């Protein structure tokens, strides 16, 4: 019986990790990639500009 108790610990940890992962990812789908892509476009424009030093 003690062995079954020890096997329940990782099972409960896996269930808890799955619940936490789904909770932590709940807002990521709604936001999308818009802000990140806008920031990357600004970064690319800045890197493509010629430097002011000659």
């Amino acid at each position: 019986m003690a062995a079954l108790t020890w096997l329940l610990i990782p099972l409960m940890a896996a269930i808890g990790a799955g619940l936490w992962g789904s909770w932590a990812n709940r807002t990521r789908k709604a936001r999308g990639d818009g802000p990140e892509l806008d920031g990357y476009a600004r970064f690319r424009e800045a890197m493509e500009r010629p430097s002011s030093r000659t």
Side-chain angles (χ1 to χ4, degrees):
M1 193 63 159
L4 290 177
T5 304
W6 280 106
L7 289 174
L8 282 177
I9 293 171
L11 178 65
M12 294 306 221
I15 291 171
L19 288 172
W20 179 82
S22 63
W23 177 79
N25 198 24
R26 73 190 184 287
T27 58
R28 183 170 294 198
K29 295 174 190 166
R31 191 174 80 174
D33 290 334
E36 287 85 3
L37 291 177
D38 292 340
Y40 178 68
R42 287 192 307 269
F43 171 75
R44 278 189 39 197
E45 289 172 6
M47 292 305 289
E48 289 173 355
R49 284 187 216 135
S51 67
S52 59
R53 289 191 228 174
T54 56

